[in-house]
Amino acid sequence: MEIDQSTIQEKAGPLTRAWGLLKVLPGKAEAEILRVAKSIKKLGKDDPRRITHSLKVGLALTLLSLIYYLRPLYDGFGTAGIWAVLTVVVVFEFTVGGTLSKSLNRGFATLVASALGLGAQQLASLFGDKGDPIVLGILVFLLAAVSTFMRFFPQIKARYDYGVLIFILTFSLIAISGCRVEELLEMARKRLSTIIVGGATCIVVSICICPVWAGETLHNSVAANIEKLASYLEGFGGEYFQSCERSNSDKSFLQGYKKVLNSKSTEESMANLARWEPRHGCFRSRHPWKQYLKIGELTRQCAYHIETLNGYINSDIHAPLEFRCKIQEPCTQMSAECGKALKSLASSIKTTTVPSSENVNVENSKTAVQDLKIALKAVSLEHDQDLLQILPAATVASILVEIVICVEKISESVHGLSNLAHFKSIEPTVSPEKPHRGSIKPVSKGDSDHAVITIHGTSPDSPGNETPKAPKLG
Amino acid sequence: MEIDQSTIQEKAGPLTRAWGLLKVLPGKAEAEILRVAKSIKKLGKDDPRRITHSLKVGLALTLLSLIYYLRPLYDGFGTAGIWAVLTVVVVFEFTVGGTLSKSLNRGFATLVASALGLGAQQLASLFGDKGDPIVLGILVFLLAAVSTFMRFFPQIKARYDYGVLIFILTFSLIAISGCRVEELLEMARKRLSTIIVGGATCIVVSICICPVWAGETLHNSVAANIEKLASYLEGFGGEYFQSCERSNSDKSFLQGYKKVLNSKSTEESMANLARWEPRHGCFRSRHPWKQYLKIGELTRQCAYHIETLNGYINSDIHAPLEFRCKIQEPCTQMSAECGKALKSLASSIKTTTVPSSENVNVENSKTAVQDLKIALKAVSLEHDQDLLQILPAATVASILVEIVICVEKISESVHGLSNLAHFKSIEPTVSPEKPHRGSIKPVSKGDSDHAVITIHGTSPDSPGNETPKAPKLG
């Protein structure tokens, strides 16, 4: 296509071409503007915090302009006020944790580097006028090289990367500047005070106006990821076993899990930033952020299995109807109960309540695994099955069993989180959808192995394809 | 443990405690120093480019110190020379692409923002002494808010994030500074020239001394990832079917693939940086970097399947020996041939030669799939198998079939890369290990569907556990 158009354009004269371009331009520009406007709207809609963040940055910068316009302040800071503006632009991050980490890194690094820079100057001055630049050059070289290498350490990179950068910067500036010590002290004082003003402005604006907490974001995204898997699993049974009938319905729930596959880096950086944040909402200052990474890891593990499972959903080879009918009930049950368990775990994370109702679902899914085993044993007795034909369906069943194990692990890790973070304990309200018989007490982590609750007579219409309400937790 | 120690410490007097601490300290410090030294050594060994990068940053900074010490230069730049040092520290990145992208972003953003800042000052001056700060404040607010929002666009974030940051910074500085226009022009000129000096120093040092090309890194890491999967698949057959005998041997090859699972973000950022790089080595300036992302995506897809497969390698449930023996041959064959195909693809990427010898392996693995089907059909005829017992082994076989499909897709995408990037075409030298019968011509993309090469009489000892040499490509 592109080649065709260019040959046509080459044949036409330059005037004709320009005219053609002019004719096309308004339409194209309009389409482009529409496209951009749409994507702007989508960006803002996807996460309205982006809009408030942008306004906050504008506000912080405008606040600092006051430093320049209010004379008393201006006289106090002088042109070093430039550093306050610079600090705001560089330090203001989307999350409170990011802003705090950068501000503190910047402040401390400037402090340490100033002191070291002064020391380096004193040391170099011992070597006389000729030796001075050489010694300073060597010192700058060594310090820059060593600090740069330190930035490759994963622990330092995760938490102090920006600090090391500012350290190199300030040290070089002070060591190289060649000013007298008194001048330098004055300069360092001014720079530090402006950085403090700039950093403080950022921190105050960042915390006081619609704060975006990295910890809260991590908390919610872990819960949301679990929910995505839940949606998939709840819908899977209906989709796989009745794929022909319902090909037109909305299948977006089958794609949601894909975002979970690559969630690792985001979660890790959020956890790193969350450590900088003070107590907020229901999160203490030493909230067990690492546990979220564990849950995230297990969630991804489950997502990998689902990815493999998903390959079979549109498989061409359909197992004999008879075999499918036999495993349909336990498979749908396993998948749906896993989905419900995950939904319930996600909602317990969201509401920071001790997870309890998911136990029923986990046990139900285990029962379904046993049912499956019985069904499979029955199959082997009949002698009329072709293993090759039933293999895809059998594989689906086998992967579902793995998913059940995975969901149990997720459940344990969420229980671990609930212990570590002291989630609120709430008497489980009975889920309206599934009246369970016999008494069920909330089972804490560790007990879960012993609490075998077998539920007989599950309603045959419950698993599958309509979205069941997550058991309410309060 | 921790609680115990603290209670003991609380009981002892402060002096005893201090003495105890002093006694423990040297030993602890020594252990800590040893640990740090080890991790430093490991960091350097894992990627020696880290060491050269650190030295390069030191060198660039020391070079710029010259600006301060050589008087003529100093007189030319004045204190604005500070910006040159700042530029080096902030702009010097690990890869050439990173350095280029930051330098160019910084340069252009400063240029545009300076012009806009001057315009804003002129505009504000129309409103008189009282209106001036208000208008400027509003302009700074609007520009900062809009630009910050723009940073959320994925395309802008990926390529121009730093530029937008510097744009906000420079515009605010100039708009707020309140200097006269002549002063500003002088300031802008100085800043730009120092940024150019700083940026140019970085670029020259970055390119001329042991350059780290983002493109090359991406190229190699995609190949290395494929190789990791290859190692797994080549070893899988031996590991799964003879797991009891060889439990002591080195199993690190079984873990390598795990790094592939989370490679997406690294690959994407490398591809973004690679676009900034000029022609280098065998990479043209418009090298198809996007195709690497496609290959990477498919590689991860395959890694997800392997992750599921890996769950069965230590499975407790062992299928009846009879069944395992039946599927062992085709399964080991499938896995080993896939491994060989991937090894060959990886080496063809590494040597930038048209992949050819992998066709044989892909076809062999397809043949093995057919063999497996025959074996499975045979199973169903015997009536003495318990489906439940053979399910894990059958699932492994089924997932291996998926992996064969995946490997074929990877092969296609590598062929696509070889077409787009004009890889060298080399007559395939016959692999010494597997003399193939009949003529095999290198099959280009698109033809691959029709080139069915069936090889009879594959040596029974070839698949499995010893590491077969990758077919040589030149």
Side-chain angles (χ1 to χ4, degrees):
Chain A
M1 268 308 268
E2 262 178 75
I3 297 167
D4 283 357
Q5 254 186 356
S6 69
T7 39
I8 291 167
Q9 281 191 355
E10 266 175 290
K11 276 178 193 165
L15 263 178
T16 332
R17 245 190 298 164
W19 177 239
L21 208 67
L22 268 179
K23 264 204 306 196
V24 173
L25 217 61
K28 270 199 177 174
E30 207 184 304
E32 185 67 7
I33 288 169
L34 260 177
R35 199 186 58 81
V36 170
K38 256 187 198 165
S39 57
I40 288 176
K41 203 177 157 191
K42 189 175 175 300
L43 260 188
K45 223 177 184 178
D46 282 355
D47 194 347
R49 300 178 303 175
R50 288 169 179 158
I51 299 171
T52 43
H53 171 70
S54 308
L55 296 177
K56 277 157 71 183
V57 172
L59 181 70
L61 263 181
T62 318
L63 274 180
L64 269 188
S65 327
L66 286 178
I67 288 183
Y68 279 86
Y69 287 112
L70 297 182
R71 286 297 138 181
L73 274 173
Y74 185 87
D75 293 341
F77 287 119
T79 46
I82 227 174
W83 292 104
V85 173
L86 207 150
T87 304
V88 167
V89 176
V90 176
V91 146
F92 209 127
E93 290 279 312
F94 186 55
T95 59
V96 175
T99 309
L100 271 173
S101 118
K102 276 203 155 179
S103 306
L104 295 177
N105 263 309
R106 192 178 177 93
F108 280 105
T110 307
L111 201 65
V112 175
S114 301
L116 268 183
L118 284 176
Q121 276 231 331
Q122 295 286 31
L123 181 74
S125 65
L126 298 179
F127 290 83
D129 263 6
K130 283 217 166 164
D132 182 286
I134 298 171
V135 171
L136 276 180
I138 294 173
L139 282 176
V140 167
F141 178 82
L142 283 179
L143 212 115
V146 169
S147 308
T148 306
F149 188 73
M150 272 169 58
R151 291 176 70 192
F152 287 111
F153 277 93
Q155 302 95 317
I156 290 176
K157 185 159 194 65
R159 305 189 69 178
Y160 307 111
D161 194 55
Y162 186 66
V164 177
L165 189 86
I166 293 298
F167 175 78
I168 305 176
L169 178 64
T170 311
F171 180 84
S172 313
L173 285 185
I174 288 188
I176 290 168
S177 68
C179 303
R180 277 170 301 119
V181 174
E182 300 85 66
E183 282 174 4
L184 274 179
L185 279 176
E186 180 59 21
M187 197 171 109
R189 194 190 62 77
K190 271 189 188 164
R191 250 205 90 178
L192 256 181
S193 58
T194 44
I195 285 180
I196 290 171
V197 169
T201 312
C202 289
I203 294 174
V204 169
V205 171
S206 172
I207 294 185
C208 297
I209 306 173
C210 309
V212 178
W213 302 99
E216 202 184 332
T217 310
L218 174 66
H219 180 92
N220 290 336
S221 95
V222 165
N225 281 347
I226 294 181
E227 220 159 48
K228 277 176 199 146
L229 302 193
S231 302
Y232 184 95
L233 289 174
E234 283 189 338
F236 175 78
E239 190 62 33
Y240 182 70
F241 288 102
Q242 296 145 44
S243 52
C244 312
E245 299 164 30
R246 48 191 70 257
S247 54
N248 292 329
S249 61
D250 178 34
K251 284 181 183 174
S252 59
F253 69 90
L254 287 176
Q255 298 301 317
Y257 78 93
K258 284 197 189 277
K259 280 191 187 155
V260 182
L261 296 170
N262 296 305
S263 56
K264 183 173 174 138
S265 54
T266 324
E267 280 178 9
E268 278 183 352
S269 69
M270 281 297 150
N272 273 322
L273 295 181
R275 290 205 196 103
W276 292 90
E277 290 176 349
R279 183 193 193 96
H280 61 276
C282 48
F283 307 109
R284 291 167 304 129
S285 55
R286 294 176 69 83
H287 197 73
W289 300 118
K290 271 195 179 167
Q291 187 68 18
Y292 286 95
L293 296 185
K294 263 188 211 165
I295 301 176
E297 192 63 52
L298 290 169
T299 311
R300 273 190 297 283
Q301 198 82 30
C302 192
Y304 299 148
H305 290 316
I306 290 183
E307 172 78 4
T308 307
L309 192 66
N310 197 44
Y312 292 92
I313 215 166
N314 298 318
S315 166
D316 292 335
I317 313 160
H318 282 300
L321 199 65
E322 195 190 348
F323 178 71
R324 284 162 66 96
C325 285
K326 269 198 193 101
I327 63 163
Q328 172 166 5
E329 172 77 26
C331 279
T332 317
Q333 188 81 356
M334 267 151 65
S335 153
E337 291 292 337
C338 279
K340 279 183 205 164
L342 289 179
K343 271 254 160 87
S344 148
L345 286 170
S347 100
S348 96
I349 293 181
K350 271 190 192 162
T351 55
T352 62
T353 46
V354 175
S356 55
S357 54
E358 109 288 352
N359 272 316
V360 189
N361 302 117
V362 169
E363 293 309 325
N364 283 353
S365 68
K366 282 185 184 171
T367 317
V369 171
Q370 297 305 326
D371 292 348
L372 175 74
K373 285 183 179 170
I374 294 165
L376 288 180
K377 273 196 186 271
V379 168
S380 60
L381 296 175
E382 283 172 18
H383 311 318
D384 56 348
Q385 301 292 342
D386 182 345
L387 183 55
L388 181 61
Q389 274 191 308
I390 64 174
L391 189 55
T395 306
V396 164
S398 179
I399 295 173
L400 279 174
V401 172
E402 292 292 310
I403 288 176
V404 169
I405 297 168
C406 233
V407 168
E408 213 188 344
K409 279 186 198 157
I410 294 177
S411 157
E412 270 169 34
S413 68
V414 174
H415 275 284
L417 176 68
S418 118
N419 278 346
L420 288 167
H422 309 300
F423 278 5
K424 299 184 288 284
S425 176
I426 282 186
E427 281 296 304
T429 43
V430 176
S431 149
E433 187 202 1
K434 180 179 284 296
H436 38 61
R437 292 141 207 193
S439 69
I440 294 143
K441 54 174 184 186
V443 181
S444 66
K445 194 198 165 195
D447 290 348
S448 59
D449 291 339
H450 314 295
V452 181
I453 303 160
T454 319
I455 293 184
H456 306 283
T458 47
S459 56
D461 59 320
S462 71
N465 156 63
E466 86 286 4
T467 325
K469 281 167 217 141
K472 278 177 193 114
L473 279 168
Chain B
M1 269 301 273
E2 263 178 72
I3 297 167
D4 282 358
Q5 258 186 355
S6 69
T7 41
I8 291 168
Q9 281 192 354
E10 264 176 289
K11 277 177 192 167
L15 261 179
T16 332
R17 244 190 298 164
W19 178 240
L21 207 70
L22 268 179
K23 265 205 302 192
V24 173
L25 217 62
K28 270 198 176 175
E30 208 185 304
E32 184 67 8
I33 288 169
L34 262 176
R35 199 185 58 79
V36 171
K38 256 187 197 165
S39 57
I40 288 176
K41 203 178 156 191
K42 190 177 173 298
L43 261 187
K45 223 176 183 176
D46 282 355
D47 194 347
R49 300 179 302 175
R50 287 171 180 158
I51 299 171
T52 42
H53 172 69
S54 308
L55 297 177
K56 276 157 70 183
V57 173
L59 180 71
L61 263 181
T62 317
L63 274 180
L64 268 188
S65 329
L66 287 176
I67 287 184
Y68 279 86
Y69 287 113
L70 296 181
R71 288 296 138 181
L73 274 173
Y74 185 86
D75 293 341
F77 287 120
T79 46
I82 227 173
W83 292 105
V85 173
L86 208 149
T87 304
V88 167
V89 176
V90 178
V91 147
F92 210 126
E93 291 279 312
F94 186 53
T95 59
V96 175
T99 310
L100 272 172
S101 115
K102 275 201 154 179
S103 305
L104 294 178
N105 264 310
R106 192 179 176 91
F108 279 106
T110 307
L111 201 65
V112 175
S114 301
L116 268 183
L118 285 175
Q121 276 231 333
Q122 297 284 34
L123 181 74
S125 65
L126 298 178
F127 291 84
D129 263 5
K130 284 214 167 167
D132 180 285
I134 298 171
V135 172
L136 276 180
I138 293 173
L139 282 177
V140 166
F141 178 83
L142 282 180
L143 211 115
V146 169
S147 307
T148 307
F149 188 74
M150 272 169 58
R151 291 175 70 193
F152 286 112
F153 277 93
Q155 302 95 318
I156 291 176
K157 187 160 194 64
R159 305 190 67 179
Y160 308 111
D161 193 55
Y162 185 66
V164 178
L165 188 86
I166 293 297
F167 176 78
I168 305 175
L169 178 65
T170 311
F171 179 83
S172 313
L173 285 184
I174 288 187
I176 290 168
S177 70
C179 302
R180 276 171 301 119
V181 174
E182 301 87 63
E183 282 174 4
L184 273 178
L185 279 176
E186 181 60 19
M187 199 172 108
R189 193 188 63 77
K190 271 188 188 165
R191 251 205 90 179
L192 255 182
S193 58
T194 46
I195 285 180
I196 290 171
V197 169
T201 313
C202 288
I203 293 173
V204 169
V205 171
S206 172
I207 293 185
C208 296
I209 307 175
C210 309
V212 178
W213 300 100
E216 202 184 332
T217 311
L218 174 66
H219 179 91
N220 290 335
S221 94
V222 165
N225 281 347
I226 294 181
E227 221 159 46
K228 278 176 197 143
L229 302 193
S231 301
Y232 185 94
L233 290 174
E234 284 189 338
F236 175 79
E239 190 62 32
Y240 182 71
F241 287 102
Q242 297 145 45
S243 52
C244 312
E245 298 163 31
R246 49 189 71 258
S247 54
N248 292 330
S249 61
D250 178 33
K251 283 180 184 174
S252 59
F253 69 90
L254 288 175
Q255 298 300 316
Y257 79 91
K258 286 199 187 273
K259 280 190 187 153
V260 182
L261 296 170
N262 295 304
S263 56
K264 183 173 173 140
S265 54
T266 324
E267 279 178 8
E268 278 183 353
S269 70
M270 281 296 149
N272 273 322
L273 295 181
R275 291 206 194 102
W276 292 90
E277 291 176 349
R279 181 193 196 95
H280 62 277
C282 48
F283 306 108
R284 291 168 303 129
S285 56
R286 295 176 68 83
H287 198 73
W289 300 117
K290 270 196 181 168
Q291 185 68 18
Y292 286 95
L293 297 184
K294 261 188 211 164
I295 301 177
E297 193 62 50
L298 291 168
T299 312
R300 273 190 297 284
Q301 197 83 31
C302 191
Y304 300 149
H305 289 317
I306 290 183
E307 173 78 4
T308 307
L309 192 66
N310 197 44
Y312 292 91
I313 214 166
N314 298 317
S315 167
D316 293 334
I317 313 160
H318 283 301
L321 198 65
E322 196 193 347
F323 178 71
R324 284 161 67 95
C325 285
K326 270 200 194 97
I327 63 164
Q328 173 167 4
E329 171 77 27
C331 279
T332 318
Q333 188 81 357
M334 266 151 66
S335 154
E337 291 293 338
C338 280
K340 279 183 205 166
L342 289 179
K343 271 251 160 90
S344 149
L345 286 170
S347 100
S348 96
I349 293 180
K350 271 189 192 164
T351 55
T352 62
T353 46
V354 175
S356 57
S357 55
E358 109 289 349
N359 272 318
V360 188
N361 303 116
V362 169
E363 292 310 325
N364 282 354
S365 68
K366 281 186 184 168
T367 316
V369 171
Q370 296 306 325
D371 292 348
L372 174 75
K373 286 184 178 167
I374 294 165
L376 289 179
K377 274 199 184 268
V379 168
S380 61
L381 296 175
E382 283 172 19
H383 310 320
D384 57 350
Q385 302 291 343
D386 181 344
L387 183 55
L388 181 60
Q389 276 190 305
I390 64 173
L391 188 54
T395 307
V396 164
S398 177
I399 295 173
L400 278 174
V401 172
E402 291 292 311
I403 287 176
V404 169
I405 297 168
C406 232
V407 167
E408 212 188 343
K409 278 187 198 157
I410 295 177
S411 159
E412 268 169 35
S413 68
V414 174
H415 274 285
L417 175 68
S418 120
N419 277 347
L420 288 167
H422 309 301
F423 277 5
K424 298 184 288 283
S425 177
I426 283 186
E427 279 298 302
T429 43
V430 176
S431 147
E433 186 201 2
K434 180 179 283 298
H436 36 59
R437 292 142 208 189
S439 72
I440 293 144
K441 54 172 184 187
V443 180
S444 65
K445 196 197 162 194
D447 290 346
S448 59
D449 289 338
H450 314 295
V452 181
I453 303 161
T454 318
I455 293 184
H456 305 285
T458 45
S459 56
D461 59 319
S462 72
N465 161 61
E466 86 286 359
T467 325
K469 280 168 220 141
K472 280 179 192 111
L473 278 168

